[in-house]
mmCIF file with all atom_site columns, all heavy atoms in Angstrom:
data_model
loop_
_atom_site.group_PDB
_atom_site.id
_atom_site.type_symbol
_atom_site.label_atom_id
_atom_site.label_alt_id
_atom_site.label_comp_id
_atom_site.label_asym_id
_atom_site.label_entity_id
_atom_site.label_seq_id
_atom_site.pdbx_PDB_ins_code
_atom_site.Cartn_x
_atom_site.Cartn_y
_atom_site.Cartn_z
_atom_site.occupancy
_atom_site.B_iso_or_equiv
_atom_site.pdbx_formal_charge
_atom_site.auth_seq_id
_atom_site.auth_comp_id
_atom_site.auth_asym_id
_atom_site.auth_atom_id
_atom_site.pdbx_PDB_model_num
ATOM 1   N N   . ALA B 1 92  ? -72.446 12.991 9.195  1.00 0.00 ? 92  ALA B N   1
ATOM 2   C CA  . ALA B 1 92  ? -73.728 13.144 9.875  1.00 0.00 ? 92  ALA B CA  1
ATOM 3   C C   . ALA B 1 92  ? -74.487 14.311 9.287  1.00 0.00 ? 92  ALA B C   1
ATOM 4   O O   . ALA B 1 92  ? -73.895 15.276 8.796  1.00 0.00 ? 92  ALA B O   1
ATOM 5   C CB  . ALA B 1 92  ? -73.519 13.367 11.373 1.00 0.00 ? 92  ALA B CB  1
ATOM 6   N N   . SER B 1 93  ? -75.807 14.195 9.333  1.00 0.00 ? 93  SER B N   1
ATOM 7   C CA  . SER B 1 93  ? -76.638 15.324 8.940  1.00 0.00 ? 93  SER B CA  1
ATOM 8   C C   . SER B 1 93  ? -77.655 15.588 10.029 1.00 0.00 ? 93  SER B C   1
ATOM 9   O O   . SER B 1 93  ? -78.005 14.693 10.801 1.00 0.00 ? 93  SER B O   1
ATOM 10  C CB  . SER B 1 93  ? -77.332 15.060 7.606  1.00 0.00 ? 93  SER B CB  1
ATOM 11  O OG  . SER B 1 93  ? -78.395 14.146 7.762  1.00 0.00 ? 93  SER B OG  1
ATOM 12  N N   . SER B 1 94  ? -78.112 16.821 10.108 1.00 0.00 ? 94  SER B N   1
ATOM 13  C CA  . SER B 1 94  ? -79.098 17.160 11.124 1.00 0.00 ? 94  SER B CA  1
ATOM 14  C C   . SER B 1 94  ? -79.877 18.386 10.693 1.00 0.00 ? 94  SER B C   1
ATOM 15  O O   . SER B 1 94  ? -79.517 19.078 9.748  1.00 0.00 ? 94  SER B O   1
ATOM 16  C CB  . SER B 1 94  ? -78.437 17.400 12.481 1.00 0.00 ? 94  SER B CB  1
ATOM 17  O OG  . SER B 1 94  ? -77.567 18.510 12.428 1.00 0.00 ? 94  SER B OG  1
ATOM 18  N N   . TYR B 1 95  ? -80.952 18.604 11.392 1.00 0.00 ? 95  TYR B N   1
ATOM 19  C CA  . TYR B 1 95  ? -81.786 19.768 11.183 1.00 0.00 ? 95  TYR B CA  1
ATOM 20  C C   . TYR B 1 95  ? -81.989 20.404 12.543 1.00 0.00 ? 95  TYR B C   1
ATOM 21  O O   . TYR B 1 95  ? -81.721 19.792 13.567 1.00 0.00 ? 95  TYR B O   1
ATOM 22  C CB  . TYR B 1 95  ? -83.130 19.346 10.596 1.00 0.00 ? 95  TYR B CB  1
ATOM 23  C CG  . TYR B 1 95  ? -83.897 18.461 11.537 1.00 0.00 ? 95  TYR B CG  1
ATOM 24  C CD1 . TYR B 1 95  ? -84.862 18.966 12.410 1.00 0.00 ? 95  TYR B CD1 1
ATOM 25  C CD2 . TYR B 1 95  ? -83.637 17.094 11.593 1.00 0.00 ? 95  TYR B CD2 1
ATOM 26  C CE1 . TYR B 1 95  ? -85.537 18.156 13.296 1.00 0.00 ? 95  TYR B CE1 1
ATOM 27  C CE2 . TYR B 1 95  ? -84.299 16.270 12.491 1.00 0.00 ? 95  TYR B CE2 1
ATOM 28  C CZ  . TYR B 1 95  ? -85.250 16.810 13.332 1.00 0.00 ? 95  TYR B CZ  1
ATOM 29  O OH  . TYR B 1 95  ? -85.907 16.003 14.224 1.00 0.00 ? 95  TYR B OH  1
ATOM 30  N N   . SER B 1 96  ? -82.500 21.585 12.562 1.00 0.00 ? 96  SER B N   1
ATOM 31  C CA  . SER B 1 96  ? -82.849 22.216 13.829 1.00 0.00 ? 96  SER B CA  1
ATOM 32  C C   . SER B 1 96  ? -84.301 22.647 13.759 1.00 0.00 ? 96  SER B C   1
ATOM 33  O O   . SER B 1 96  ? -84.678 23.428 12.892 1.00 0.00 ? 96  SER B O   1
ATOM 34  C CB  . SER B 1 96  ? -81.955 23.427 14.094 1.00 0.00 ? 96  SER B CB  1
ATOM 35  O OG  . SER B 1 96  ? -82.291 24.017 15.330 1.00 0.00 ? 96  SER B OG  1
ATOM 36  N N   . ARG B 1 97  ? -85.094 22.067 14.632 1.00 0.00 ? 97  ARG B N   1
ATOM 37  C CA  . ARG B 1 97  ? -86.518 22.393 14.638 1.00 0.00 ? 97  ARG B CA  1
ATOM 38  C C   . ARG B 1 97  ? -86.983 22.433 16.072 1.00 0.00 ? 97  ARG B C   1
ATOM 39  O O   . ARG B 1 97  ? -86.846 21.456 16.804 1.00 0.00 ? 97  ARG B O   1
ATOM 40  C CB  . ARG B 1 97  ? -87.283 21.334 13.846 1.00 0.00 ? 97  ARG B CB  1
ATOM 41  C CG  . ARG B 1 97  ? -88.754 21.654 13.653 1.00 0.00 ? 97  ARG B CG  1
ATOM 42  C CD  . ARG B 1 97  ? -89.387 20.684 12.681 1.00 0.00 ? 97  ARG B CD  1
ATOM 43  N NE  . ARG B 1 97  ? -89.430 19.342 13.217 1.00 0.00 ? 97  ARG B NE  1
ATOM 44  C CZ  . ARG B 1 97  ? -89.374 18.247 12.449 1.00 0.00 ? 97  ARG B CZ  1
ATOM 45  N NH1 . ARG B 1 97  ? -89.224 18.346 11.159 1.00 0.00 ? 97  ARG B NH1 1
ATOM 46  N NH2 . ARG B 1 97  ? -89.440 17.057 13.007 1.00 0.00 ? 97  ARG B NH2 1
ATOM 47  N N   . GLN B 1 98  ? -87.494 23.563 16.470 1.00 0.00 ? 98  GLN B N   1
ATOM 48  C CA  . GLN B 1 98  ? -87.983 23.755 17.842 1.00 0.00 ? 98  GLN B CA  1
ATOM 49  C C   . GLN B 1 98  ? -86.928 23.348 18.866 1.00 0.00 ? 98  GLN B C   1
ATOM 50  O O   . GLN B 1 98  ? -87.225 22.707 19.856 1.00 0.00 ? 98  GLN B O   1
ATOM 51  C CB  . GLN B 1 98  ? -89.269 22.962 18.068 1.00 0.00 ? 98  GLN B CB  1
ATOM 52  C CG  . GLN B 1 98  ? -90.413 23.447 17.195 1.00 0.00 ? 98  GLN B CG  1
ATOM 53  C CD  . GLN B 1 98  ? -91.684 22.640 17.398 1.00 0.00 ? 98  GLN B CD  1
ATOM 54  O OE1 . GLN B 1 98  ? -91.624 21.499 17.803 1.00 0.00 ? 98  GLN B OE1 1
ATOM 55  N NE2 . GLN B 1 98  ? -92.816 23.240 17.090 1.00 0.00 ? 98  GLN B NE2 1
ATOM 56  N N   . GLY B 1 99  ? -85.679 23.701 18.581 1.00 0.00 ? 99  GLY B N   1
ATOM 57  C CA  . GLY B 1 99  ? -84.607 23.429 19.525 1.00 0.00 ? 99  GLY B CA  1
ATOM 58  C C   . GLY B 1 99  ? -84.028 22.034 19.445 1.00 0.00 ? 99  GLY B C   1
ATOM 59  O O   . GLY B 1 99  ? -83.001 21.757 20.047 1.00 0.00 ? 99  GLY B O   1
ATOM 60  N N   . MET B 1 100 ? -84.668 21.135 18.706 1.00 0.00 ? 100 MET B N   1
ATOM 61  C CA  . MET B 1 100 ? -84.141 19.784 18.572 1.00 0.00 ? 100 MET B CA  1
ATOM 62  C C   . MET B 1 100 ? -83.155 19.744 17.412 1.00 0.00 ? 100 MET B C   1
ATOM 63  O O   . MET B 1 100 ? -83.386 20.355 16.380 1.00 0.00 ? 100 MET B O   1
ATOM 64  C CB  . MET B 1 100 ? -85.278 18.795 18.289 1.00 0.00 ? 100 MET B CB  1
ATOM 65  C CG  . MET B 1 100 ? -86.042 18.419 19.526 1.00 0.00 ? 100 MET B CG  1
ATOM 66  S SD  . MET B 1 100 ? -85.007 17.513 20.702 1.00 0.00 ? 100 MET B SD  1
ATOM 67  C CE  . MET B 1 100 ? -84.597 16.062 19.753 1.00 0.00 ? 100 MET B CE  1
ATOM 68  N N   . ALA B 1 101 ? -82.051 19.030 17.590 1.00 0.00 ? 101 ALA B N   1
ATOM 69  C CA  . ALA B 1 101 ? -81.045 18.950 16.527 1.00 0.00 ? 101 ALA B CA  1
ATOM 70  C C   . ALA B 1 101 ? -80.463 17.556 16.491 1.00 0.00 ? 101 ALA B C   1
ATOM 71  O O   . ALA B 1 101 ? -79.257 17.382 16.531 1.00 0.00 ? 101 ALA B O   1
ATOM 72  C CB  . ALA B 1 101 ? -79.957 19.984 16.755 1.00 0.00 ? 101 ALA B CB  1
ATOM 73  N N   . GLU B 1 102 ? -81.304 16.544 16.381 1.00 0.00 ? 102 GLU B N   1
ATOM 74  C CA  . GLU B 1 102 ? -80.855 15.150 16.322 1.00 0.00 ? 102 GLU B CA  1
ATOM 75  C C   . GLU B 1 102 ? -79.994 14.927 15.097 1.00 0.00 ? 102 GLU B C   1
ATOM 76  O O   . GLU B 1 102 ? -80.357 15.321 13.980 1.00 0.00 ? 102 GLU B O   1
ATOM 77  C CB  . GLU B 1 102 ? -82.079 14.241 16.251 1.00 0.00 ? 102 GLU B CB  1
ATOM 78  C CG  . GLU B 1 102 ? -81.775 12.787 15.996 1.00 0.00 ? 102 GLU B CG  1
ATOM 79  C CD  . GLU B 1 102 ? -83.043 11.971 15.812 1.00 0.00 ? 102 GLU B CD  1
ATOM 80  O OE1 . GLU B 1 102 ? -84.138 12.529 16.024 1.00 0.00 ? 102 GLU B OE1 1
ATOM 81  O OE2 . GLU B 1 102 ? -82.937 10.790 15.469 1.00 0.00 ? 102 GLU B OE2 1
ATOM 82  N N   . ALA B 1 103 ? -78.844 14.288 15.293 1.00 0.00 ? 103 ALA B N   1
ATOM 83  C CA  . ALA B 1 103 ? -77.936 13.987 14.179 1.00 0.00 ? 103 ALA B CA  1
ATOM 84  C C   . ALA B 1 103 ? -78.133 12.556 13.712 1.00 0.00 ? 103 ALA B C   1
ATOM 85  O O   . ALA B 1 103 ? -78.311 11.646 14.520 1.00 0.00 ? 103 ALA B O   1
ATOM 86  C CB  . ALA B 1 103 ? -76.494 14.201 14.603 1.00 0.00 ? 103 ALA B CB  1
ATOM 87  N N   . PHE B 1 104 ? -78.109 12.384 12.398 1.00 0.00 ? 104 PHE B N   1
ATOM 88  C CA  . PHE B 1 104 ? -78.215 11.075 11.777 1.00 0.00 ? 104 PHE B CA  1
ATOM 89  C C   . PHE B 1 104 ? -76.866 10.765 11.147 1.00 0.00 ? 104 PHE B C   1
ATOM 90  O O   . PHE B 1 104 ? -76.340 11.575 10.367 1.00 0.00 ? 104 PHE B O   1
ATOM 91  C CB  . PHE B 1 104 ? -79.298 11.079 10.692 1.00 0.00 ? 104 PHE B CB  1
ATOM 92  C CG  . PHE B 1 104 ? -80.678 11.319 11.228 1.00 0.00 ? 104 PHE B CG  1
ATOM 93  C CD1 . PHE B 1 104 ? -81.114 12.600 11.513 1.00 0.00 ? 104 PHE B CD1 1
ATOM 94  C CD2 . PHE B 1 104 ? -81.545 10.260 11.450 1.00 0.00 ? 104 PHE B CD2 1
ATOM 95  C CE1 . PHE B 1 104 ? -82.384 12.833 12.016 1.00 0.00 ? 104 PHE B CE1 1
ATOM 96  C CE2 . PHE B 1 104 ? -82.825 10.481 11.939 1.00 0.00 ? 104 PHE B CE2 1
ATOM 97  C CZ  . PHE B 1 104 ? -83.242 11.771 12.226 1.00 0.00 ? 104 PHE B CZ  1
ATOM 98  N N   . PHE B 1 105 ? -76.327 9.603  11.476 1.00 0.00 ? 105 PHE B N   1
ATOM 99  C CA  . PHE B 1 105 ? -74.994 9.235  11.020 1.00 0.00 ? 105 PHE B CA  1
ATOM 100 C C   . PHE B 1 105 ? -75.048 8.215  9.897  1.00 0.00 ? 105 PHE B C   1
ATOM 101 O O   . PHE B 1 105 ? -75.947 7.361  9.851  1.00 0.00 ? 105 PHE B O   1
ATOM 102 C CB  . PHE B 1 105 ? -74.180 8.652  12.177 1.00 0.00 ? 105 PHE B CB  1
ATOM 103 C CG  . PHE B 1 105 ? -73.706 9.695  13.148 1.00 0.00 ? 105 PHE B CG  1
ATOM 104 C CD1 . PHE B 1 105 ? -74.547 10.187 14.122 1.00 0.00 ? 105 PHE B CD1 1
ATOM 105 C CD2 . PHE B 1 105 ? -72.409 10.183 13.067 1.00 0.00 ? 105 PHE B CD2 1
ATOM 106 C CE1 . PHE B 1 105 ? -74.119 11.165 15.019 1.00 0.00 ? 105 PHE B CE1 1
ATOM 107 C CE2 . PHE B 1 105 ? -71.961 11.148 13.958 1.00 0.00 ? 105 PHE B CE2 1
ATOM 108 C CZ  . PHE B 1 105 ? -72.820 11.650 14.932 1.00 0.00 ? 105 PHE B CZ  1
ATOM 109 N N   . GLY B 1 106 ? -74.056 8.311  9.012  1.00 0.00 ? 106 GLY B N   1
ATOM 110 C CA  . GLY B 1 106 ? -73.849 7.272  8.020  1.00 0.00 ? 106 GLY B CA  1
ATOM 111 C C   . GLY B 1 106 ? -73.194 6.057  8.653  1.00 0.00 ? 106 GLY B C   1
ATOM 112 O O   . GLY B 1 106 ? -72.855 6.056  9.843  1.00 0.00 ? 106 GLY B O   1
ATOM 113 N N   . GLN B 1 107 ? -72.994 5.019  7.839  1.00 0.00 ? 107 GLN B N   1
ATOM 114 C CA  . GLN B 1 107 ? -72.464 3.748  8.336  1.00 0.00 ? 107 GLN B CA  1
ATOM 115 C C   . GLN B 1 107 ? -70.964 3.802  8.595  1.00 0.00 ? 107 GLN B C   1
ATOM 116 O O   . GLN B 1 107 ? -70.418 2.902  9.224  1.00 0.00 ? 107 GLN B O   1
ATOM 117 C CB  . GLN B 1 107 ? -72.755 2.636  7.334  1.00 0.00 ? 107 GLN B CB  1
ATOM 118 C CG  . GLN B 1 107 ? -74.228 2.414  7.058  1.00 0.00 ? 107 GLN B CG  1
ATOM 119 C CD  . GLN B 1 107 ? -74.950 1.874  8.278  1.00 0.00 ? 107 GLN B CD  1
ATOM 120 O OE1 . GLN B 1 107 ? -74.432 1.042  9.004  1.00 0.00 ? 107 GLN B OE1 1
ATOM 121 N NE2 . GLN B 1 107 ? -76.171 2.346  8.515  1.00 0.00 ? 107 GLN B NE2 1
ATOM 122 N N   . GLY B 1 108 ? -70.314 4.846  8.120  1.00 0.00 ? 108 GLY B N   1
ATOM 123 C CA  . GLY B 1 108 ? -68.879 4.991  8.379  1.00 0.00 ? 108 GLY B CA  1
ATOM 124 C C   . GLY B 1 108 ? -68.015 4.487  7.241  1.00 0.00 ? 108 GLY B C   1
ATOM 125 O O   . GLY B 1 108 ? -68.412 3.612  6.465  1.00 0.00 ? 108 GLY B O   1
ATOM 126 N N   . THR B 1 109 ? -66.813 5.057  7.167  1.00 0.00 ? 109 THR B N   1
ATOM 127 C CA  . THR B 1 109 ? -65.775 4.598  6.232  1.00 0.00 ? 109 THR B CA  1
ATOM 128 C C   . THR B 1 109 ? -64.545 4.271  7.060  1.00 0.00 ? 109 THR B C   1
ATOM 129 O O   . THR B 1 109 ? -64.028 5.123  7.786  1.00 0.00 ? 109 THR B O   1
ATOM 130 C CB  . THR B 1 109 ? -65.417 5.690  5.207  1.00 0.00 ? 109 THR B CB  1
ATOM 131 O OG1 . THR B 1 109 ? -66.539 5.962  4.384  1.00 0.00 ? 109 THR B OG1 1
ATOM 132 C CG2 . THR B 1 109 ? -64.238 5.237  4.342  1.00 0.00 ? 109 THR B CG2 1
#
Side-chain angles (χ1 to χ4, degrees):
Chain B
S93 75
S94 63
Y95 63 95
S96 181
R97 187 171 67 210
Q98 296 179 335
M100 281 295 298
E102 172 185 353
F104 295 81
F105 285 81
Q107 300 293 320
T109 295

